[in-house]
Amino acid sequence: MVQIHTLPNSPPKQNLSFGKQPPLAWAAILFLVLFSAVCIFGGAAGILRTAYVIISFAIGIFLYVRYPLLYTGFTWWIWFVTPFVTRLVDYKSGWDPTRFMLVSQYLVTLLTLHTFLKELPKSLRQGSLPFVLAFLGVFYGFLVGIIKTTPFTAARGLLDWLTPITFGFYLFIHWRDYPLYRRTIERTFLWGVLVTGIYGIYQFLVAPEWDVFWLVNTKLTSMGDPEPLKLRIWSTMASPAPYAAMMMAGSLLLFSNKTFIRIPASAIAYLAFLLTTVRTLWGGWFIAFITFITSLKAHLQMRLFITILLMALCVIPLTQIEQFSETISDRFETFSQLDKDDSAKVRQKIYEDGLNSALTNGLGNGVGNTFIVNKKGILEPIVIDSGILDMFFTLGWFGGVFYLVGIFMAFAKSFQYSEYRFDTFMAASRAISLGMLSTLLGNSGMLGMPGMVLWGFIALAMAGHKYHVQQKVIRNS
């Protein structure tokens, strides 16, 4: 078991350990769950459109101030389930085109901006420059967005761009408590992939009425047909890509998990991940897996191969079931027929039409210019299916260079660490973030949930390195 040493001026550990979290913190979380359930099934779902936002934010503040570990897990779960709660509310109380409830996940995460601003002066000496550079690039884009659009649309776009950076910074700056945060993330994603995976498979087989209602009203034809066995699953989240990003991270973390439940969880997780049919994230997973396995010591690689074999024995039979096999195999076949694939043609067209425009857009269009206000006065997103193009369209050369330098500085540092050889979680964190980085060519993987994965896990790798270095100093002193 890793020993945790209290360093001078470090925060007290009594509010961080798992065993000493008071019932009041869990009671607050349970209240949100029960209140939401009572409103949805008790005929008062409409109340949640405002109440859910207020209550989740209030709980987030309480946990952020008093119990950082619970706050971290709570933040991830808010991202996992809020779109699902929103769909249930819409199904019970009528379609809300503003989707106001979805602001909950951003508000809870945005609390970490306080940590960023508070710790910024001294954090630069600890290696936080990548986060600061990315923040400056986004802030520049926000200023341009205010000028070129409106403060409202710029602020809405800022939530997508900023929250992953500040959350990653939050995880990094707590590097002294890395073992505790590691356990929190492992447990959160273990249960996250299990719960959302089970629901995702159910969603594919049944096509629940609330999901069909949401799909029909959003008119997102790229997510399949609103009937059983024809959906590209998105489980409890808003669309397949964010869900696939979460499942890519969670399924890889299962390799570093030592509990028995990781075996059945992996069967559920990988089947659900395949049913998203998001090829960009499949490719990101493959890159992450190769990075992960090649970074470990030989004896850990052998142990990992045994785990992989056990997982494969659970996953492969499930993928051969008739209801699943056709969807999965048809999607895999498109890898060899990209010249005939509509999705690949669309991305090629996007690059043909947009690459020159993006790279010659010096000032950028500004944060918020990926949203338009429709005739009803409602914000609608403009889909740019490329993180690279989106970055330069939005931030321009000035902001885009700052953002990219921040990302590549973080990854350049991460490839200099040696602790991956014995810390499998740290190795998995770097691999996950690298896999997400590789998806930027075909996915805006730096925004929203994908951005949380990209910045959150590279931050954990950086935090792990600082923790192990400090422990080595302590042992040698």
Side-chain angles (χ1 to χ4, degrees):
M1 182 176 179
V2 178
Q3 296 297 316
I4 301 171
H5 300 270
T6 303
L7 303 177
N9 301 321
S10 64
K13 296 296 181 290
Q14 62 265 26
N15 283 348
L16 292 175
S17 67
F18 281 94
K20 297 182 180 180
Q21 291 165 352
L24 184 60
W26 286 105
I29 296 172
L30 184 60
F31 171 76
L32 176 63
V33 175
L34 294 179
F35 180 78
S36 300
V38 169
C39 288
I40 290 171
F41 299 106
I47 297 174
L48 274 183
R49 290 205 166 111
T50 302
Y52 183 88
V53 176
I54 296 172
I55 295 172
S56 62
F57 185 56
I59 294 172
I61 293 174
F62 172 63
L63 298 178
Y64 172 81
V65 172
R66 296 290 302 276
Y67 308 104
L69 287 178
L70 267 178
Y71 167 75
T72 302
F74 178 73
T75 299
W76 281 115
W77 274 104
I78 284 291
W79 279 92
F80 294 169
V81 304
T82 295
F84 174 70
V85 177
T86 302
R87 293 201 295 274
L88 289 177
V89 170
D90 284 347
Y91 179 69
K92 292 288 187 176
S93 296
W95 175 247
D96 176 19
T98 68
R99 285 173 262 181
F100 175 68
M101 284 181 64
L102 295 180
V103 79
S104 303
Q105 53 210 26
Y106 295 102
L107 290 180
V108 171
T109 311
L110 197 60
L111 291 169
T112 55
L113 179 61
H114 170 263
T115 299
F116 182 88
L117 297 176
K118 178 184 175 182
E119 301 291 338
L120 182 59
K122 61 183 179 181
S123 70
L124 289 171
R125 298 192 299 271
Q126 301 182 46
S128 68
L129 185 57
F131 303 97
V132 175
L133 290 175
F135 177 88
L136 290 174
V138 170
F139 186 69
Y140 164 80
F142 173 63
L143 295 178
V144 174
I146 291 177
I147 296 170
K148 291 194 172 184
T149 58
T150 66
F152 177 69
T153 54
R156 172 60 186 89
L158 184 66
L159 292 176
D160 271 324
W161 283 89
L162 187 62
T163 48
I165 299 171
T166 59
F167 187 73
F169 178 92
Y170 178 81
L171 295 175
F172 168 73
I173 208 67
H174 286 89
W175 60 267
R176 290 183 178 87
D177 302 303
Y178 165 73
L180 296 175
Y181 281 88
R182 177 176 61 195
R183 280 194 289 168
T184 297
I185 300 298
E186 283 181 334
R187 294 185 183 188
T188 299
F189 275 82
L190 171 64
W191 290 104
V193 298
L194 187 61
V195 171
T196 65
I198 290 172
Y199 181 76
I201 294 169
Y202 170 78
Q203 182 183 63
F204 178 78
L205 294 173
V206 177
E209 294 179 3
W210 45 88
D211 289 330
V212 170
F213 177 79
W214 182 86
L215 184 59
V216 169
N217 280 280
T218 55
K219 301 176 183 179
L220 294 174
T221 57
S222 62
M223 292 168 59
D225 298 324
E227 54 185 284
L229 308 183
K230 293 187 178 181
L231 293 173
R232 298 178 61 192
I233 70 168
W234 62 94
S235 188
T236 58
M237 298 186 199
S239 65
Y243 179 55
M246 177 266 186
M247 292 301 278
M248 183 196 79
S251 60
L252 283 163
L253 283 180
L254 292 175
F255 290 132
S256 69
N257 197 301
K258 295 180 176 60
T259 61
F260 173 76
I261 199 173
R262 76 186 188 281
I263 302 301
S266 66
I268 298 297
Y270 279 101
L271 178 58
F273 183 44
L274 291 171
L275 289 175
T276 64
T277 66
V278 181
R279 293 175 306 186
T280 304
L281 272 300
W282 290 356
W285 178 92
F286 180 75
I287 291 172
F289 175 74
I290 296 300
T291 303
F292 174 59
I293 199 170
T294 55
S295 63
L296 302 176
K297 286 184 176 179
H299 76 279
L300 290 176
Q301 289 178 339
M302 290 303 298
R303 188 185 303 172
L304 179 60
F305 279 124
I306 295 173
T307 302
I308 292 171
L309 179 60
L310 291 173
M311 289 181 174
L313 290 175
C314 294
V315 175
I316 293 176
L318 290 175
T319 61
Q320 301 306 306
I321 296 175
E322 182 180 355
Q323 288 87 338
F324 306 132
S325 61
E326 183 177 354
T327 297
I328 296 171
S329 60
D330 286 351
R331 193 60 169 171
F332 268 106
E333 287 176 3
T334 62
F335 280 109
S336 60
Q337 301 174 352
L338 292 178
D339 58 324
K340 301 178 181 178
D341 183 71
D342 291 337
S343 179
K345 290 179 180 179
V346 168
R347 283 195 174 89
Q348 182 179 353
K349 182 67 173 174
I350 289 173
Y351 271 94
E352 288 175 355
D353 296 343
L355 184 59
N356 183 64
S357 177
L359 295 181
T360 57
N361 191 358
L363 294 178
N365 294 329
V367 169
N369 253 349
T370 51
F371 290 89
I372 59 172
V373 180
N374 63 22
K375 296 179 180 179
K376 297 180 180 180
I378 297 168
L379 279 179
E380 290 184 346
I382 302 171
V383 178
I384 301 176
D385 224 357
S386 165
I388 301 298
L389 293 185
D390 195 358
M391 199 177 300
F392 283 100
F393 269 127
T394 303
L395 307 180
W397 269 101
F398 184 80
V401 167
F402 268 77
Y403 193 91
L404 281 175
V405 169
I407 287 180
F408 286 113
M409 184 178 290
F411 279 92
K413 287 185 176 182
S414 73
F415 276 91
Q416 298 173 17
Y417 305 154
S418 61
E419 294 83 7
Y420 303 120
R421 306 290 289 173
F422 59 85
D423 188 335
T424 56
F425 177 83
M426 188 177 161
S429 295
R430 181 188 64 168
I432 289 166
S433 56
L434 182 63
M436 186 56 61
L437 181 68
S438 71
T439 68
L440 291 184
L441 287 174
N443 177 43
S444 290
M446 66 287 183
L447 306 179
M449 169 57 80
M452 293 281 287
V453 173
L454 171 62
W455 284 102
F457 282 96
I458 194 60
L460 287 167
M462 295 167 66
H465 167 69
K466 287 191 67 67
Y467 174 80
H468 288 301
V469 168
Q470 185 63 49
Q471 294 303 297
K472 186 176 180 180
V473 171
I474 292 173
R475 288 193 299 267
N476 294 335
S477 62

